[in-house]
């Protein structure tokens, strides 16, 4: 089933991103890499798209799912944790999610974890069953779903911030909070024991589809986002080698993409040497280049790929 959003047709796409915080800068960078540029308004809440009819709304991350659900914004860059939490709350209130995750964006990674005082010997969720313990969190919906799944009867203490100090303040025995490096937990004599959600920044959009110019714009943007995500850490490796050296070189390049022979189109001085290229994930180290050279590769070059359309 495809839903039609709102009644007003729009010919510009509006994307909500975090105004300031962990996701603000990487979200802008990603969209800029997709070829968008903006003119900022004086209040710095709205950025008018210059290169394409794609505008930005700069907001608190908590507001992004609601803005999409209400059709105020068409797309948003937000943590999966926020999206899932608000979907859980909507579900509890008998509302459909109204938005969906379109792409994982590979930044803002963190995990929503249950953490206990570091001196506890954790044996598993069964340990807190029927103990009537209190768990402090800013994610009551996700935690509630997990507790229900595990059949644990605990009291959820909802806090909007500084969740990690709740055990020291005596307001809860455990916490459920976002963890990236884990340093905050250590500083508060806590340790993570159960992972409730693997999170990262995601591109979110409405559950339905657009029926105006936004459809084409969203499709183009998604294609560009895919292009940018794919390129991340990709390098084009180019070199020359004699045909006899190919098996040894292929052996060394097992983890790379297929080794492609570039047609020499009758270039002079070819004398049996092949021009070769392959796509590599991640960095290509000096050591790898030297190993390839020993195996017969010459004129090795590592190039950064700037743009590609799959
Ligand atoms: P806002 O003012 O927009 O409400 P905030 O304080 O809620 O900001 P940030 O702390 O900037 O938000 O975090 C935004 C998102 O970054 C989180 O929702 C989460 O997806 C991600 N994130 C990554 N690592 C962490 C972490 N260690 N702690 C909290 N959030 C993290
Ligand atoms: Zn927030």
């Amino acid at each position: 089933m495809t839903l039609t959003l709102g009644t007003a047709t729009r010919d510009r796409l509006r994307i909500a991103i975090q105004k300031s915080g962990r996701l603000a800068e990487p979200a802008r960078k990603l969209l800029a890499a997709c070829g968008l540029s903006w003119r900022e308004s004086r209040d710095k809440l709205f950025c008018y798209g210059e290169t394409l009819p794609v505008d930005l709304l700069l907001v608190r991350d908590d507001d992004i799912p609601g803005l999409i659900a209400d059709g105020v914004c068409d797309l948003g860059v937000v943590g999966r944790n926020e999206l899932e939490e608000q979907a859980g709350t909507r579900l509890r209130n008998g509302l459909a999610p109204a938005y969906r995750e379109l792409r994982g964006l590979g930044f803002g990674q963190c995990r929503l974890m249950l953490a206990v005082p570091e001196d506890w010997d954790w044996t598993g969720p069964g340990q807190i069953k029927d103990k009537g313990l209190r768990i402090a969190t800013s994610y009551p919906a996700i935690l509630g779903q997990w507790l229900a799944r595990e059949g644990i009867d605990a009291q959820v203490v909802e806090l909007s911030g500084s969740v990690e100090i709740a055990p020291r303040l005596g307001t809860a025995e455990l916490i459920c909070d976002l963890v990236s490096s884990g340093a905050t937990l250590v500083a508060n004599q806590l340790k993570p024991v159960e992972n409730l959600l693997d999170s990262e920044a995601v591109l979110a959009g409405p559950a339905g589809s657009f029926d105006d110019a936004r459809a084409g714009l969203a499709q183009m943007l998604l294609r560009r986002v895919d292009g940018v995500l794919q390129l991340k850490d990709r390098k084009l490796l180019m070199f020359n080698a004699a045909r006899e050296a190919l098996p040894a070189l292929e052996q060394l390049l097992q983890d790379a993409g297929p080794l492609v022979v570039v047609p020499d189109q009758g270039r002079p001085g070819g004398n049996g040497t092949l021009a070769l290229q392959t796509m590599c994930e991640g960095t290509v180290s000096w050591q790898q280049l030297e190993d390839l050279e020993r195996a017969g590769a010459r004129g090795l070059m590592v190039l950064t790929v700037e743009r590609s359309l799959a």
Side-chain angles (χ1 to χ4, degrees), residues 17-24 59-64 78-83 107-111 139 160 177-182 184 199-202:
I17 65 167
Q18 200 186 17
K19 180 170 163 51
S20 60
R22 294 171 205 262
L23 308 182
V59 296
R60 288 199 56 191
D61 64 346
D62 318 50
D63 294 335
I64 294 176
V78 62
R80 181 177 295 134
N81 47 297
E82 206 58 64
L83 212 58
F107 59 85
Q109 283 101 340
C110 56
R111 291 186 294 174
Y139 295 88
S160 56
D177 203 7
L178 293 177
V179 179
S180 45
S181 71
T184 311
S199 186
E200 63 179 322
V202 304

Side-chain angles (χ1 to χ4, degrees), residues 196-237:
L196 275 61
L197 179 76
D198 280 311
S199 186
E200 63 179 322
V202 304
L203 184 69
S209 54
F210 304 110
D211 63 349
D212 49 30
R214 290 175 292 172
L217 285 170
Q219 200 183 12
M220 178 174 69
L221 186 73
L222 274 178
R223 215 165 153 230
R224 291 189 183 184
V225 166
D226 287 341
V228 173
L229 294 180
Q230 247 180 37
L231 284 187
K232 224 173 174 200
D233 291 339
R234 276 178 120 201
K235 302 277 182 286
L236 181 68
L237 176 67

Side-chain angles (χ1 to χ4, degrees), residues 81-103:
N81 47 297
E82 206 58 64
L83 212 58
E84 293 286 317
E85 175 63 22
Q86 296 198 27
T89 309
R90 288 178 70 94
L91 193 68
R92 234 190 239 170
N93 297 329
L95 296 168
Y99 43 73
R100 65 196 161 111
E101 183 177 319
L102 300 173
R103 295 290 187 279

